Amino acid sequence: MKTAKHLFQRITSFETVLSAARLAAKGKGAKQPNLRFFMYLEDNVWKIVSELKDKSYRPGPYTIFAICYPKPRMISAAPFYDRVVHHALISVVGPLLEKTFVFDTYANRKGKGTHLAIERYQHYLRRYRYALKCDIRKFFPSIDHAILKSLLRRKIGCADTLWLIDTIIDNSNRQEEHVHYFPGDDLFAPFERRRGLPIGNLTSQFFANYYLGFLDHFVKESLRCKGYVRYVDDFVLFADTKQQLWAWHEEIERYLEQFRLILNPVRTALYPTSEDRCFLGQRVFPACRMLPSKNVRAAKRRVKAGATLGAEDFRQSVSGWVGHARQADTFRLLQSMGLTDLQGSFSRIGQEWAFFPVS
């Protein structure tokens, strides 16, 4: 595989870092760290450029918080200063990694995303009799630093860029403990190897996608599985026989050992494609798509809580969910909730928000 060189000069240019600052602030609102950075924008951009060029750059501490939906996770938020560096790096390295991905991986890619992944999943439901749904057990906490670095060196040959990548990886905060022994390990191997990428980093998303990109090629090229969809560590294989899918399952388990990853047995399921199953937050059938009842109940609670918000805050609160819901067959549901057209305006009647479409 040909490696890319002479990348660092592009990463550390004033224009790249300035653009990275704007991307890092996009959609984040008027938060104090963002405002402080932009108050002295030119000085801060030149400071990043200088620190990267003389290799004095060191990432700051993460802010850690937990989420419970859709499953319990530890989220790590890097300081805004570091997020600018991440965007500068990925703006140059990201397109190189993108070229290695197969068509049917959908996470963190322009022109892809969850809804196209669901469409592709539904397409395969109509073509095959059975599906094997898998995910990786503790994926982000399990990513092995040494293996990740060696994989990135297959694509990137710029020593200075690799220094920056290694600096970001080495300064990952401690992730959820996950001990598993692989063939050839001694007693201390799982504790001596550095593992885990912080969920929340832009760099983590790209590196994790690249880490599993080798699985994509194995499934498509070695197993010759034509029906396949992956979104982060959730992936589904399709075939017309159960025996074929179980055989692929065993080969995937063996293949993942070299990356020190294991499948999650609790979330592995083989089922007929005619069954009602959830995929990426939607109940997907061959002929239609619906939302899980738990998701709908949570959205209704959010709409009800909107009585205490201003119109713009209420719009922001529900617009993301409405965008997701519209991808399923939910017109009547949105109509019953008064959310069929968010281009309209909201007005308070009593203690609730009523919706009035724009004429």
Side-chain angles (χ1 to χ4, degrees):
M1 185 182 293
K2 186 178 179 181
T3 59
K5 300 180 180 180
H6 311 298
L7 305 175
F8 200 63
Q9 186 174 357
R10 291 164 53 196
I11 294 170
T12 57
S13 72
F14 182 88
E15 293 76 15
T16 298
V17 178
L18 178 62
S19 176
R22 290 169 177 159
L23 287 172
K26 188 176 180 181
K28 302 302 181 183
K31 296 182 179 179
Q32 283 191 2
N34 308 23
L35 295 176
R36 283 196 298 267
F37 188 94
F38 278 88
M39 188 178 298
Y40 305 101
L41 177 60
E42 186 174 348
D43 290 343
N44 283 320
V45 169
W46 280 120
K47 183 182 178 185
I48 288 176
V49 170
S50 175
E51 288 185 356
L52 292 178
K53 286 185 174 181
D54 65 20
K55 295 186 172 57
S56 62
Y57 166 72
R58 293 294 180 271
Y62 287 90
T63 300
I64 300 171
F65 58 94
I67 62 170
C68 297
Y69 184 84
K71 58 184 178 182
R73 283 181 179 148
M74 184 181 86
I75 306 299
S76 304
F80 183 78
Y81 189 89
D82 292 333
R83 295 203 298 272
V84 175
V85 175
H86 298 168
H87 275 275
L89 172 65
I90 294 303
S91 68
V92 175
V93 170
L96 300 174
L97 303 183
E98 169 74 24
K99 292 178 182 178
T100 68
F101 298 147
V102 302
F103 179 84
D104 279 321
T105 181
Y106 289 84
N108 309 310
R109 301 179 66 190
K110 289 183 179 179
K112 297 286 186 177
T114 56
H115 300 305
L116 284 179
I118 294 170
E119 285 182 11
R120 191 67 163 171
Y121 173 86
Q122 189 176 43
H123 166 75
Y124 287 133
L125 287 180
R126 297 172 182 143
R127 292 190 58 186
Y128 296 94
R129 294 180 61 196
Y130 297 100
L132 174 67
K133 185 179 178 184
C134 308
D135 83 349
I136 308 296
R137 184 179 178 187
K138 305 292 184 185
F139 175 50
F140 277 85
S142 298
I143 293 175
D144 187 277
H145 289 192
I147 295 174
L148 174 60
K149 290 176 183 179
S150 69
L151 295 177
L152 288 166
R153 279 160 172 75
R154 296 186 186 184
K155 192 62 182 173
I156 300 168
C158 174
D160 291 331
T161 301
L162 290 171
W163 162 81
L164 177 57
I165 289 172
D166 291 351
T167 298
I168 293 171
I169 293 173
D170 291 341
N171 282 274
S172 300
N173 58 338
R174 190 177 184 85
Q175 299 297 300
E176 182 180 354
E177 195 62 52
H178 172 50
V179 177
H180 188 83
Y181 289 89
F182 293 89
D185 282 357
D186 59 25
L187 182 63
F188 302 103
F191 305 97
E192 293 172 342
R193 302 182 70 97
R194 287 288 315 273
R195 292 169 296 146
L197 295 181
I199 301 175
N201 269 11
L202 177 67
T203 50
S204 298
Q205 296 169 16
F206 273 83
F207 295 161
N209 216 15
Y210 180 70
Y211 200 83
L212 274 189
F214 293 87
L215 171 65
D216 299 337
H217 286 281
F218 175 74
V219 171
K220 302 288 282 187
E221 297 161 14
S222 297
L223 301 184
R224 298 190 180 280
C225 173
K226 295 182 179 179
Y228 174 74
V229 180
R230 180 173 71 84
Y231 189 91
V232 192
D233 64 320
D234 290 314
F235 58 96
V236 188
L237 291 79
F238 297 85
D240 286 322
T241 67
K242 294 181 180 180
Q243 293 80 3
Q244 178 67 85
L245 289 172
W246 283 127
W248 284 343
H249 176 270
E250 291 180 6
E251 292 194 56
I252 288 171
E253 280 192 314
R254 287 194 294 270
Y255 180 78
L256 288 174
E257 286 181 355
Q258 65 184 288
F259 301 97
R260 302 185 68 84
L261 299 175
I262 58 174
L263 295 178
N264 187 342
V266 176
R267 297 173 64 87
T268 297
L270 193 155
Y271 50 89
T273 53
S274 57
E275 278 190 9
D276 165 18
R277 292 282 175 153
C278 279
F279 182 65
L280 301 182
Q282 293 188 7
R283 293 170 57 198
V284 188
F285 301 82
C288 66
R289 292 153 57 178
M290 303 171 65
L291 297 180
S293 56
K294 182 168 69 172
N295 183 287
V296 174
R297 288 195 297 270
K300 287 183 175 179
R301 287 195 296 269
R302 194 179 309 155
V303 171
K304 188 175 181 180
T308 63
L309 302 175
E312 186 58 33
D313 289 338
F314 179 70
R315 187 190 304 275
Q316 292 179 2
S317 173
V318 300
S319 60
W321 179 83
V322 170
H324 174 69
R326 279 178 177 159
Q327 305 301 318
D329 300 303
T330 55
F331 179 79
R332 290 186 180 180
L333 170 66
L334 295 176
Q335 192 176 47
S336 70
M337 297 171 68
L339 299 173
T340 52
D341 183 7
L342 275 186
Q343 297 303 315
S345 59
F346 290 90
S347 296
R348 191 187 293 276
I349 299 179
Q351 294 300 314
E352 296 184 355
W353 286 104
F355 182 79
F356 298 92
V358 174
S359 58

